[in-house]
Every structure is written in structure tokens, then in C-alpha cells.
Amino acid sequence: MKVRDEETGPINHLLTSLTDLPSINVRSCSMQASGSATPSGKRNTLTVIDNRTGKQYEIPIEHETIKSTDLRQIKENADDFGMMTYDPAFMNTAACRSTITFIDGDKGILRYRGYPIEQLAEKCSYLEVAYLLINGELPTKAQLEEWTMNITTHTFVHENIKKFMDGFHYDAHPMGMFVSALAALSTFYPSAKHITEPAERTMTFYRLIGKVPTLAAFAYRHSVGMPYILPDNELSYAGNFLGMMFKVAEPQYHPNPVLERALDVLFILHADHEQNCSTSAMRGVGSSQVDPYSAAAAAAAALYGPLHGGANEAVLRMLDEIGSKEKIPAFIKDVKDGKGRLMGFGHRVYKNYDPRASIIKRLADQVFEVTGRNPKLDIALELERIALQDDYFIKRKLYPNVDFYSGLIYQAMRFPVDMFPVLFAIGRMSGWLAQWQEMLLDAEQKIARPRQVYLGHDNRDVTMLSQR
Ligand code: CMC
């Protein structure tokens, strides 16, 4: 299937051009730069010499990549399958071309659609950023009003959702409830499976961005045995979520403006992060053309893990376990001895301070002025200080990531620890949807289906059970 969208138009690739040509030696196959010359005198191809056969192949380079399928022509024998690349965990494989999010991990840069995260966090609301991610440009005032109105009027969920929420055990993890509720939404909106229709996709954006705070708050209220609070359309996106979480008997919930803004900024910081584990799940599952609710449930499930969105929860549990500043050196020693990880540190892409962590650290001061200082902050600051001076962390370029300080803010705002990954998921929904749509509109994308290097038994015969 190739989906083309009149409204959105073809994807505009803005990727940078090649400057340097790599020189690679892989076992019996050596590669060196050669090929047709560019105006600068450099040649944008790789010449690959297969030392098994002596044959030479010229492979085009585009956007500093070669296409893995171009390697398939490299064969020792005519009936061979052809050369593949082996890249467990996708350490060096681009699975798509994207114009949504740019990260320079060495410099600690994060931009959505070209805008630095620092400016978006300072000047925009989360719904503006969600619009930007999905539509490619910041909205005008009129566009934002319409977008906000459409999302706000899709915050309610079917009454039956309350019934199946009630079916969960009292101590069910809210992320498990949230993942299940997302998948269940597909049964309420069967027309969403018409993913080639722009109007259906747009409706999905309104529904999913609108309903995730409601599902999240319902999961929390169930776990504490409190009645579900319906959305209040008079409140902002973050304010309404706070109301659905914490409203008790007051006729009208008034969020504290500092906390409301802090939560909105946290949603912005979590909105997208290019091809991370959950986004890859959204794209991969979505590539089967399943409905977007099912794909979003898969993405949320991927986010649940402690190495991804579950890390913010793990950080708080770790700080609790450490308990006091005096115990930090022993904890660090255990980490260095391989007895555990310093949660909230390290990142596959950032080899520098995560820019989101810097913003969150500043945001924490504003929040703590309202809520009072989270006593665990001192442990976190001391942990960071010690780790950043320690050779183990310096050598491996391990710095605080987005999850190191976010939990301290969430906790100060009275969110229970097991809600932290759910909060991450609310913000990330807009990014998942933007990436899902980009995948659908990309003529080069097909169902995701990695290859494998088979190293198991060759053909062998089954012996009867009685003879084994
Ligand atoms: N504490 C101690 N050592 C670490 C840590 C850590 N947090 N992270 C990485 N290392 C070590 C690791 O043991 C390895 O050492 P060695 O070379 O001696 O074997 C080296 O650093 C490289 O680590 P890796 O596991 O190969 O790196 P990765 O890119 O596969 O993993 C990561 C990235 C985020 C999963 C990892 O850094 C980690 O587990 N961090 C803690 C969990 C966490 O905070 N996750 C949130 C990530 S940011 C938000 C998100 O994406 O959801």
C-alpha cells in the first residue's frame, strides 16, 4: 500500500547532504570510497570489493547512508541470498527518513520540526507542540483555537470504559490499565481502521490526544477507589488532567497555575524523541495497517519497560532505596560492580547532558516553591555530582536523562510513583501519532519485517516421542 495524502502533501525530505566518505573494512570484504565525482571533487558512492570473489560493486551514498538492499547484489554464488547487514538493537540502522525530530546526541541538541526544545518549552503550550509535530508547522491563532476545541471536545470516553476499568484488581498498575484501555478504544471506533482516509486520521488525532488524560486519570482513580471525574472543558489540557486526577468535593477545580504550566512543559519535553523503542513499536505495529489505537497500545506497552518510560518510576524507587546521601558511595560502587544501573542516567543517543533534563531541573525549582522541596532532591543532586566526577560514568558518557529529575516533580505534585510512566505516555501520544502518519505517507515504507542470521540446526528428522 502507498498512502498519498492530498491535504498533507508529499513528505519533504530535509536531510543534510553527504560530506565525508567512510572507509570500512568488514572481514573478507573491504570497502573504500570511490565512484562518480560531486562538485566538491568527492564521490558519493562506496566501492565495495568482495575479497571472496574479487568482484567490485559501486553503491550510492545518500544522506550519509547506503541502502542495505544495495548490498544484496554481493554474492559468492549466483544462488546465494546476498549480503545483509547485522545490527542487533538497531545500533546503526536508519529505519526511516523523517522530518519530525532532530537529535544531536554529542552536542545535547533536541529540536521538533527544527525548533529548539528550549524555545518550545518556554514559548508554547503542549497542544501547540502537538499540532506542530503532526502538521509540520506551528499553528496560527485560529488553527490553534480549532485544534484545541476539537481535542477538548473529544476528552470524554464511552461509559463502558468505566465498567472495564472497574474490572481491574484494586492494585493493578495504572500503566497496565492504560495500555489495555488504549487497545480497547479500537473497539469503540472501528472506522479508525480506515487509515488511508485523512479525515479518519484527523479524528484519531483528536480522540487519542483528547482521551489519554481521561484514561490515565481513570486508572489512577480506580487504584485509589475514588469516583471517576469527567473532563471539564473550561480547563486547559494539563489543568483538566489535574482536575480529573485530584478533584474531590469542590464544585469547580482550579489548578495551581504554576503546577499546570509545569505539567504542560513536561508534556512538551516528552512529546517526541525520534526513533526510540516505543515510537519504533508504533511505526512497526502500524506498518501492518492495524488501527491506530492498537498501534498506540503497542507503543505504550513498549514505553512501560524500565529501560524506557518506566525509568522515571525506577529512579524514584532507586532514590527511596538509597535513602540518604551517606549511602550514595556504596550505591555507586554497586553500580560500577555491575550490580544494577544508575536509573535516569545514560542514553542510546545522548552522549552529553540530555537537554530535557536541564529544563526539568530548572522547572523543579518553580514547582518546589509551590509544593515544598522534595527531600529526595538532595540525594538526586548528590548522586549526579558524584556520578559526573566518576571515571566509570565519564568514560561511558553517562549523563542524567529526562527521567532523572521528572519523577521528583511528579511526586511533589502528588502523583503516585506508578503513574509516572503514564504521564510520559500522555505527552508522547502526539509524537507517536506524528511518526505513525509520517510512516503511512512515506512511499518507501512497507510492513516492517527484519531479517535474521539463522545459526540453528540444519535439516534433521523428527524422532518419535517414544524414542527420545
Ligand atoms: N548505569 C550504569 N551503567 C550504565 C548505565 C546506567 N544507567 N547506562 C549504561 N551503562 C553502561 C553499560 O553497563 C555499558 O557498560 P560496559 O560498556 O562496561 O558494558 C555502557 O554503559 C553502555 O551501555 P549500554 O547498555 O550498551 O547502552 P544502551 O545505549 O544500550 O542503553 C539505556 C541506553 C538508556 C538503556 C541505558 O543507559 C540504561 O539502562 N539507562 C538506565 C535506564 C534509563 O534511565 N532509561 C531512560 C532512558 S531516557 C528516556 C527514554 O528513552 O525513555
Side-chain angles (χ1 to χ4, degrees):
M1 177 203 65
K2 299 280 172 279
V3 185
R4 277 279 153 222
D5 186 342
E6 293 310 315
E7 285 177 9
T8 316
I11 296 171
N12 181 18
H13 296 292
L14 300 170
L15 301 170
T16 51
S17 60
L18 174 93
T19 48
D20 281 311
L21 295 174
S23 180
I24 310 163
N25 275 304
V26 185
R27 290 204 196 131
S28 61
C29 178
S30 72
M31 298 182 183
Q32 58 209 179
S34 82
S36 60
T38 62
S40 64
K42 287 184 176 171
R43 296 154 75 100
N44 280 350
T45 61
L46 280 185
T47 296
V48 180
I49 300 166
D50 185 343
N51 295 325
R52 300 169 303 178
T53 60
K55 280 194 199 154
Q56 183 168 312
Y57 306 83
E58 188 160 7
I59 296 178
I61 299 172
E62 202 183 356
H63 310 308
E64 294 186 73
T65 55
I66 58 165
K67 282 198 167 165
S68 297
T69 45
D70 282 345
L71 299 175
R72 286 279 290 280
Q73 58 187 309
I74 304 174
K75 296 178 179 188
E76 201 170 1
N77 303 299
D79 57 352
D80 284 352
F81 181 76
M83 184 74 72
M84 295 189 296
T85 55
Y86 173 58
D87 187 12
F90 301 106
M91 297 291 285
N92 195 39
T93 295
C96 64
R97 295 169 172 184
S98 181
T99 61
I100 300 173
T101 290
F102 172 81
I103 302 174
D104 184 328
D106 290 328
K107 295 194 181 122
I109 292 173
L110 170 62
R111 299 185 198 125
Y112 299 160
R113 302 278 189 192
Y115 295 110
I117 190 68
E118 293 80 4
Q119 291 185 30
L120 293 168
E122 189 193 330
K123 298 181 179 170
C124 297
S125 67
Y126 171 69
L127 287 188
E128 269 176 279
V129 170
Y131 184 100
L132 169 71
L133 287 170
I134 289 172
N135 296 295
E137 294 297 338
L138 282 167
T140 61
K141 194 165 179 289
Q143 285 167 334
L144 180 62
E145 274 167 18
E146 192 190 341
W147 176 249
T148 304
M149 194 266 290
N150 280 319
I151 288 173
T152 307
T153 51
H154 284 90
T155 48
F156 277 66
V157 291
H158 195 285
E159 284 293 292
N160 284 354
I161 297 232
K162 291 182 185 169
K163 287 190 201 151
F164 77 74
M165 281 280 178
D166 284 342
F168 283 102
H169 205 33
Y170 74 94
D171 61 354
H173 195 290
M175 195 63 175
M177 298 166 75
F178 181 79
V179 169
S180 313
L182 277 178
L185 282 186
S186 78
T187 66
F188 292 90
Y189 307 109
S191 65
K193 63 167 69 94
H194 302 303
I195 55 173
T196 57
E197 290 173 24
E200 281 297 343
R201 291 202 301 271
T202 302
M203 190 53 86
T204 296
F205 300 149
Y206 299 149
R207 286 193 176 127
L208 267 172
I209 296 172
K211 291 181 203 312
V212 283
T214 314
L215 297 179
F218 278 19
Y220 167 71
R221 303 285 290 203
H222 173 76
S223 66
V224 289
M226 290 182 76
Y228 304 121
I229 300 293
L230 295 179
D232 180 345
N233 289 357
E234 297 304 310
L235 294 176
S236 72
Y237 189 77
N240 172 49
F241 176 55
L242 287 170
M244 290 188 291
M245 285 285 301
F246 300 124
K247 188 166 185 279
V248 187
E250 62 274 45
Q252 173 73 44
Y253 181 82
H254 296 289
N256 178 295
V258 175
L259 304 188
E260 182 183 15
R261 175 63 189 156
L263 189 58
D264 207 53
V265 171
L266 285 162
F267 288 154
I268 292 173
L269 300 181
H270 287 89
D272 195 51
H273 214 233
E274 50 117 306
Q275 308 312 314
N276 54 82
C277 180
S278 58
T279 301
S280 301
M282 182 82 190
R283 279 179 174 260
V285 173
S287 75
S288 74
Q289 299 182 12
V290 72
D291 71 86
Y293 298 97
S294 301
L303 190 74
Y304 193 177
L307 297 189
H308 192 11
N312 50 16
E313 180 177 351
V315 169
L316 258 282
R317 300 202 189 283
M318 174 189 76
L319 295 176
D320 276 338
E321 200 185 303
I322 296 173
S324 68
K325 284 207 263 182
E326 298 69 54
K327 295 193 180 146
I328 292 175
F331 175 80
I332 294 277
K333 183 175 177 307
D334 282 352
V335 168
K336 286 161 54 177
D337 289 346
K339 291 185 189 151
R341 291 207 158 186
L342 174 50
M343 299 311 288
F345 258 66
H347 199 275
R348 172 63 59 79
V349 183
Y350 292 118
K351 301 302 166 197
N352 199 329
Y353 216 98
D354 182 335
R356 301 168 300 174
S358 314
I359 298 170
I360 290 177
K361 217 172 153 183
R362 289 196 294 274
L363 201 61
D365 292 333
Q366 296 164 30
V367 170
F368 295 158
E369 263 180 40
V370 176
T371 61
R373 191 177 162 87
N374 187 329
K376 292 186 195 98
L377 179 65
D378 292 332
I379 303 176
L381 287 169
E382 184 64 2
L383 254 182
E384 180 190 328
R385 193 188 65 75
I386 293 179
L388 292 183
Q389 290 175 1
D390 191 298
D391 255 10
Y392 175 95
F393 297 89
I394 295 170
K395 249 198 235 146
R396 291 169 179 77
K397 298 189 176 172
L398 301 171
Y399 291 87
N401 60 48
V402 69
D403 292 317
F404 193 66
Y405 287 106
S406 61
L408 292 170
I409 300 187
Y410 293 145
Q411 194 171 52
M413 290 169 83
R414 289 177 42 224
F415 288 104
V417 173
D418 55 9
M419 275 297 284
F420 295 179
V422 183
L423 295 168
F424 192 150
I426 295 175
R428 185 55 57 88
M429 184 53 73
S430 54
W432 288 335
L433 291 169
Q435 299 271 355
W436 168 74
Q437 173 160 267
E438 188 178 68
M439 181 271 301
L440 291 177
L441 299 179
D442 183 345
E444 287 195 328
Q445 291 293 336
K446 290 164 170 265
I447 186 167
R449 205 315 186 173
R451 294 280 177 180
Q452 65 166 7
V453 179
Y454 178 72
L455 297 177
H457 288 282
D458 203 349
N459 189 35
R460 53 183 182 158
D461 293 322
V462 175
T463 40
M464 294 303 290
L465 181 60
S466 57
Q467 288 157 19
R468 268 178 259 149

